[in-house]
Amino acid sequence: MSTFGKLTDGASSSSNAAAMQGSKFTMPEDGLVSKLTVRNWVEGAAKNAKGVVYDDDGGSGDPGTRKGISVEVNVSSNSEGAVDYSFSPALSLTSGNWWLFVFHDGAVSPNQFMTSRDNNAGQRLGKNVTYASGPPDPAGGSFSSLAGPLDIYATYQPTFFASGVLTPTGAGTFARVIKSALAGALTSAGAIATQINRVVSIAGAFSPAKN
């Protein structure tokens, strides 16, 4: 599996009332996103939350078309930790920029939904939306530019692997893999260099050549 987004633990945190907040990241290749992982916790009572992915087609690179909503997660821990928001089925995304959001049912102090983040200006967008109404599609306007980015990342399986052309433990020769790739298994021209590097890096995991 591969990831894109922010995997490090930020030095700051955010508390919001019923709201959605997210940051934009670049996915380097086509793939199937199985989950978002966010560093969340609650102060007070448990809260429900979902992960949401938006395209950056909303104008000036802002959130636009909603791509998918995760299953609901009940966040109950009062200590910061990684929370997984799974998609079923997985989301098929192309290489490019995507907005990764956490959408949560919060409340004012002392019952708050917390998210870890960095503190760089303009690296996060937030919007007040009631949880019962669900994440809007399209995202619409009225976003606030906030400090971030959020501690949020996506886990995905590259389409090249998902197609069955290549698996880390698959049988066959290195030459056969390259031949399959050149035959059109890649879904976008921009992914060729990435996949060739991937093939080279895992070549040692293949079974001995069958001539």
PDB file of all heavy atoms in Angstrom, residues 186-193:
ATOM      1  N   LEU A 186      -0.710   0.871 -17.755  1.00  0.00           N
ATOM      2  CA  LEU A 186      -0.751   2.139 -17.027  1.00  0.00           C
ATOM      3  C   LEU A 186      -1.969   2.947 -17.462  1.00  0.00           C
ATOM      4  O   LEU A 186      -2.328   2.958 -18.629  1.00  0.00           O
ATOM      5  CB  LEU A 186       0.527   2.935 -17.282  1.00  0.00           C
ATOM      6  CG  LEU A 186       1.830   2.264 -16.817  1.00  0.00           C
ATOM      7  CD1 LEU A 186       3.018   3.124 -17.194  1.00  0.00           C
ATOM      8  CD2 LEU A 186       1.799   2.053 -15.320  1.00  0.00           C
ATOM      9  N   THR A 187      -2.568   3.633 -16.506  1.00  0.00           N
ATOM     10  CA  THR A 187      -3.787   4.380 -16.810  1.00  0.00           C
ATOM     11  C   THR A 187      -3.530   5.821 -17.186  1.00  0.00           C
ATOM     12  O   THR A 187      -4.431   6.511 -17.616  1.00  0.00           O
ATOM     13  CB  THR A 187      -4.738   4.341 -15.597  1.00  0.00           C
ATOM     14  OG1 THR A 187      -4.070   4.892 -14.464  1.00  0.00           O
ATOM     15  CG2 THR A 187      -5.148   2.904 -15.295  1.00  0.00           C
ATOM     16  N   SER A 188      -2.318   6.316 -16.982  1.00  0.00           N
ATOM     17  CA  SER A 188      -1.999   7.676 -17.387  1.00  0.00           C
ATOM     18  C   SER A 188      -0.515   7.776 -17.690  1.00  0.00           C
ATOM     19  O   SER A 188       0.308   7.147 -17.023  1.00  0.00           O
ATOM     20  CB  SER A 188      -2.377   8.680 -16.288  1.00  0.00           C
ATOM     21  OG  SER A 188      -1.584   8.489 -15.148  1.00  0.00           O
ATOM     22  N   ALA A 189      -0.188   8.573 -18.682  1.00  0.00           N
ATOM     23  CA  ALA A 189       1.202   8.708 -19.089  1.00  0.00           C
ATOM     24  C   ALA A 189       2.074   9.240 -17.964  1.00  0.00           C
ATOM     25  O   ALA A 189       3.243   8.870 -17.832  1.00  0.00           O
ATOM     26  CB  ALA A 189       1.302   9.626 -20.310  1.00  0.00           C
ATOM     27  N   GLY A 190       1.491  10.099 -17.137  1.00  0.00           N
ATOM     28  CA  GLY A 190       2.267  10.695 -16.059  1.00  0.00           C
ATOM     29  C   GLY A 190       2.722   9.703 -15.010  1.00  0.00           C
ATOM     30  O   GLY A 190       3.587  10.017 -14.195  1.00  0.00           O
ATOM     31  N   ALA A 191       2.130   8.497 -15.003  1.00  0.00           N
ATOM     32  CA  ALA A 191       2.484   7.511 -13.984  1.00  0.00           C
ATOM     33  C   ALA A 191       3.631   6.603 -14.414  1.00  0.00           C
ATOM     34  O   ALA A 191       4.115   5.807 -13.613  1.00  0.00           O
ATOM     35  CB  ALA A 191       1.261   6.649 -13.653  1.00  0.00           C
ATOM     36  N   ILE A 192       4.090   6.700 -15.660  1.00  0.00           N
ATOM     37  CA  ILE A 192       5.081   5.759 -16.166  1.00  0.00           C
ATOM     38  C   ILE A 192       6.365   5.793 -15.349  1.00  0.00           C
ATOM     39  O   ILE A 192       6.861   4.757 -14.893  1.00  0.00           O
ATOM     40  CB  ILE A 192       5.387   6.031 -17.650  1.00  0.00           C
ATOM     41  CG1 ILE A 192       4.144   5.697 -18.496  1.00  0.00           C
ATOM     42  CG2 ILE A 192       6.576   5.197 -18.114  1.00  0.00           C
ATOM     43  CD1 ILE A 192       4.318   6.006 -19.965  1.00  0.00           C
ATOM     44  N   ALA A 193       6.942   6.985 -15.145  1.00  0.00           N
ATOM     45  CA  ALA A 193       8.203   7.079 -14.404  1.00  0.00           C
ATOM     46  C   ALA A 193       8.051   6.544 -12.990  1.00  0.00           C
ATOM     47  O   ALA A 193       8.922   5.821 -12.486  1.00  0.00           O
ATOM     48  CB  ALA A 193       8.680   8.525 -14.371  1.00  0.00           C
TER      49      ALA A 193
END
